[in-house]
Amino acid sequence: MVIPQQEDFKFSEERKLFYVALTRAKEKLFILSNKHTISEFVTEVINDSADTEIQVFGDDSQNTHCPNCKTGFLIERNGKNLFYGCSNYPLCEHTEEVKYCNQCGELLRKNIKNNTADCNECGNSESICNKCNGYMVKRKGKYGSFMGCANYAKTDCDFTINLRF
């Protein structure tokens, strides 16, 4: 009898505080959010606001979806070394090594649609694996040179591209 009834909504107390903050705006309300780690409260405002002007800024052309969870984006993280990690961490723990352009030394960004890793600085393009989106590296085998997935040792990815003509 003393304990209030449990709310039906997830994070009900936080939801109430967010609503109070929204209703205090005098003329205009601006909500700023990282669109790749967006709060569920902000998502609800966007979905429930048919009569409200909403502007989303940012360029998705440089963002690569996580190959593991498919919903997150690979973003630069800094630990002992620079690496790409899923924006859905800790729910998705996918990480990838950072690779630098072999022509100018700048960071390569993966373009999954084209199966390439592209350098924005010099325009160089390198191949990525069609199977697991890992980087392709030149290897030598008993039949000559070929491109093989760099994830071969880690994940047993056996994707190759024949370089013999």
Side-chain angles (χ1 to χ4, degrees):
M1 292 179 87
V2 177
I3 300 173
Q5 184 176 348
Q6 184 72 24
E7 296 282 346
D8 290 339
F9 291 109
K10 183 178 175 186
F11 303 117
S12 61
E13 224 21 66
E14 291 85 350
R15 186 178 309 278
K16 289 175 188 173
L17 287 171
F18 186 67
Y19 178 77
V20 168
L22 293 178
T23 59
R24 295 300 183 254
K26 298 280 185 195
E27 292 179 29
K28 291 186 178 184
L29 173 67
F30 295 90
I31 300 173
L32 303 176
S33 174
N34 180 331
K35 68 182 184 177
H36 302 301
T37 56
I38 193 165
S39 157
E40 66 182 71
F41 302 139
V42 174
T43 303
E44 287 176 15
V45 168
I46 291 169
N47 293 337
D48 296 341
S49 301
D51 61 338
T52 304
E53 179 184 345
I54 295 176
Q55 296 178 349
V56 178
F57 300 97
D59 180 12
D60 276 342
S61 65
Q62 296 301 314
N63 295 319
T64 303
H65 277 282
C66 174
N68 187 40
C69 71
K70 309 286 191 244
T71 60
F73 290 89
L74 295 181
I75 55 177
E76 287 179 30
R77 306 262 190 197
N78 206 344
K80 291 179 183 175
N81 298 311
L82 191 63
F83 66 97
Y84 292 119
C86 182
S87 60
N88 286 336
Y89 178 83
L91 300 174
C92 176
E93 296 183 355
H94 179 78
T95 61
E96 292 185 7
E97 68 176 302
V98 167
K99 188 164 184 196
Y100 296 94
C101 178
N102 59 16
Q103 290 185 6
C104 71
E106 288 297 316
L107 205 60
L108 292 177
R109 296 296 303 214
K110 288 185 179 180
N111 183 339
I112 304 301
K113 293 176 190 166
N114 298 335
N115 288 331
T116 59
D118 304 321
C119 177
N120 290 337
E121 189 65 30
C122 72
N124 181 39
S125 256
E126 297 184 20
S127 297
I128 59 173
C129 178
N130 291 3
K131 192 173 179 181
C132 75
N133 298 325
Y135 292 103
M136 299 296 285
V137 293
K138 191 171 184 177
R139 301 186 187 276
K140 287 192 183 262
K142 63 181 178 180
Y143 300 111
S145 296
F146 66 96
M147 297 294 284
C149 182
N151 290 335
Y152 177 76
K154 243 191 321 187
T155 64
D156 292 329
C157 181
D158 59 357
F159 184 76
T160 60
I161 299 171
N162 192 349
L163 295 179
R164 291 179 286 136
F165 298 105

